Amino acid sequence: RRQREAADEDEVDETPQEKKLRLAKLYLEQLRQHGESQMAPVGRDGAMLRCSHAWGRDQGSPAHIMLSLQVQPPDPGSIRVLRGHQLPVTCLVISPDDRFIFSASKDGSLIKCKWEVESGKRLCVVPGGKKGTEERHLGHASHVLCMAISSDGKYLATGDRNKLIMIWDAATCKRLHIFTGHRDAVSGLSFRKGTHQLYSTSHDRSVKVWNVAENAYMETLFGHQDVVTGLDSLSRDCCVTAGGRDGTVRLWKIPEESQLVFCGHQGSIDCIQLINEEHMVSGADDGSVALWGLTKKKPLALAQQAHGMRDVQGLQEPFWVSAVAALRNSDLLATGSHSGSVKLWKCGEGFRKLEPLWDIPLVGFVNSLKFSATGDFLVAGVGQEHRLGRWWRLKEAKNSICIIPLKQRAAAPSLEAPDSS
């Protein structure tokens, strides 16, 4: 009985409608795990839908697709390095069609650069100005800390240390609008999938909601007890945030103006991303990586010292986890630090295990990680310093964008040509 009561305390309160939806999705998950997903699903109009990991992603399904089994160990020699930023790269996004990368850094060169993935060419640079000259310069006048792109690829949003959010036309790099309202550095941005609704968070501890298409502010939510360091969202009208040294991850339900609080890390929680509509991953400066289910208050899985330990004046300390990425609706994750490598991980069954796969050598602070929508490549934003401060400086690192190809095995090798690897 005591065990059952303890388990009940770990459960997150949910409405009957939310429980019904969650159980339905879990049932679909079980069907897929038993192989019934091999049958092509039928749409409302009777048309057969293609069954693939892309189908699961587009439908917002929490399907546990085993993509880690298909990915081969990346070849370090195949990594492409794009140089252009003078100071550490702090954030990046990939366009929904996987054709372009947008990046920003501490040099305020605005945003960007805009890069073409196939050729590696720099297509657009928006120069920044000095503090107080935002109205005379297109770019930011302080460190750019975060960015987001809408799911239709139309709008790009960037946030800086000077409390500003800038909205851009992603195709032309033209600045469209500036949102003001945060009282401290803007540290996280995310568009709600399928909409032009933008969530932002800041070191002022708040979460704000904006309508980008109408250049409108909507509302502000409070709850975190320390600076908020990261934010993510998918299709639902909610977002998740990492609360820095308040030690919490939070799920914000926007219509209800309510929040669910999750605890598990011992240090500052510096990065977060949703894996699907039911699960998320976060990283902290205590060296841990946590897997969460949105109905449990504590992590489903926790990897301590994920990037190993380092010697600091004779004391052993874990490498900070500075970036996390998830290939949506799959079991494949990536984490970054300043340990000299990016790590790929596999989520075990039910997201209750976190198993290391491979290390990809990469020198510098990995401040941002993003998987392409197809899972064909992983992009890392690397710098000589951490995106949020200057605690250390790695002189041997290059401020750059690194494109890491992820080769995939054939789904079903023939008997005549067995997989020699």
Side-chain angles (χ1 to χ4, degrees), residues 85 102-105 107-114 122-129 134 136-142 144 156 158 166 168-170 172-175:
H85 291 288
F102 298 90
S103 62
S105 79
D107 57 23
S109 75
L110 158 126
I111 168 174
K112 321 173 270 232
C113 303
K114 177 180 181 180
R122 188 170 56 180
L123 302 179
C124 175
V125 177
V126 181
E134 286 84 0
R136 298 198 300 273
H137 292 271
L138 274 181
H140 289 270
S142 60
V144 183
L156 185 75
T158 54
M166 295 189 182
W168 308 81
D169 183 308
T172 63
C173 297
K174 178 183 177 182
R175 193 177 75 192

Side-chain angles (χ1 to χ4, degrees), residues 1 4 57 63 77 89 100 112 115 117 132 154-155 163 193 233 240 284 314 321 323 333 348 360 371 389 401 412:
R1 180 179 177 182
R4 186 168 62 251
R57 181 177 62 250
V89 176
F100 306 106
K112 321 173 270 232
W115 310 84
V117 171
K154 182 177 181 180
Y155 295 113
K163 315 171 191 176
K193 187 175 179 181
S233 66
V240 294
V321 178
L333 305 178
I360 305 167
F371 281 100
I401 309 298

Side-chain angles (χ1 to χ4, degrees), residues 198-325:
L198 177 69
Y199 305 116
S200 67
T201 195
S202 164
H203 289 181
D204 66 11
R205 308 180 184 185
S206 72
V207 173
K208 291 184 182 290
V209 187
W210 316 83
N211 185 325
V212 171
E214 298 181 7
N215 294 334
Y217 159 79
M218 297 177 67
E219 60 181 308
T220 301
L221 303 173
F222 294 97
H224 277 294
Q225 303 301 306
D226 190 34
V227 300
V228 189
T229 56
L231 175 148
D232 195 25
S233 66
L234 282 174
S235 299
R236 294 180 181 175
D237 197 1
C238 62
C239 63
V240 294
T241 53
R245 296 209 170 276
D246 77 1
T248 68
V249 165
R250 299 188 184 224
L251 169 67
W252 303 81
K253 298 183 178 181
I254 307 302
E256 296 92 337
E257 296 186 6
S258 65
Q259 57 191 284
L260 303 178
V261 182
F262 306 81
C263 299
H265 292 286
Q266 298 302 311
S268 175
I269 308 172
D270 291 344
C271 46
I272 191 167
Q273 188 170 9
L274 284 161
I275 302 171
N276 53 44
E277 297 283 10
E278 302 287 343
H279 301 90
M280 57 186 170
V281 59
S282 61
D285 71 0
D286 63 2
S288 63
V289 176
L291 282 179
W292 308 83
L294 297 188
T295 59
K296 293 284 187 179
K297 295 180 181 179
K298 295 181 180 179
L300 300 177
L302 186 67
Q304 303 279 9
Q305 303 170 17
H307 280 258
M309 304 288 286
R310 66 190 187 97
D311 185 84
V312 181
Q313 298 179 345
L315 299 176
Q316 291 292 307
E317 293 184 357
F319 282 102
W320 297 5
V321 178
S322 52
V324 294

Side-chain angles (χ1 to χ4, degrees), residues 32 119 126 249 421:
R32 292 188 182 91
S119 67
V126 181
V249 165
S421 63

Side-chain angles (χ1 to χ4, degrees), residues 303-359:
Q304 303 279 9
Q305 303 170 17
H307 280 258
M309 304 288 286
R310 66 190 187 97
D311 185 84
V312 181
Q313 298 179 345
L315 299 176
Q316 291 292 307
E317 293 184 357
F319 282 102
W320 297 5
V321 178
S322 52
V324 294
L327 182 52
R328 303 289 195 191
N329 297 303
S330 81
D331 65 340
L332 189 61
L333 305 178
T335 61
S337 181
H338 62 287
S339 60
S341 68
V342 167
K343 287 182 176 287
L344 292 182
W345 303 78
K346 170 188 174 182
C347 299
E349 184 175 353
F351 294 90
R352 294 186 178 276
K353 290 183 180 179
L354 197 54
E355 304 170 18
L357 293 174
W358 306 291
D359 287 11

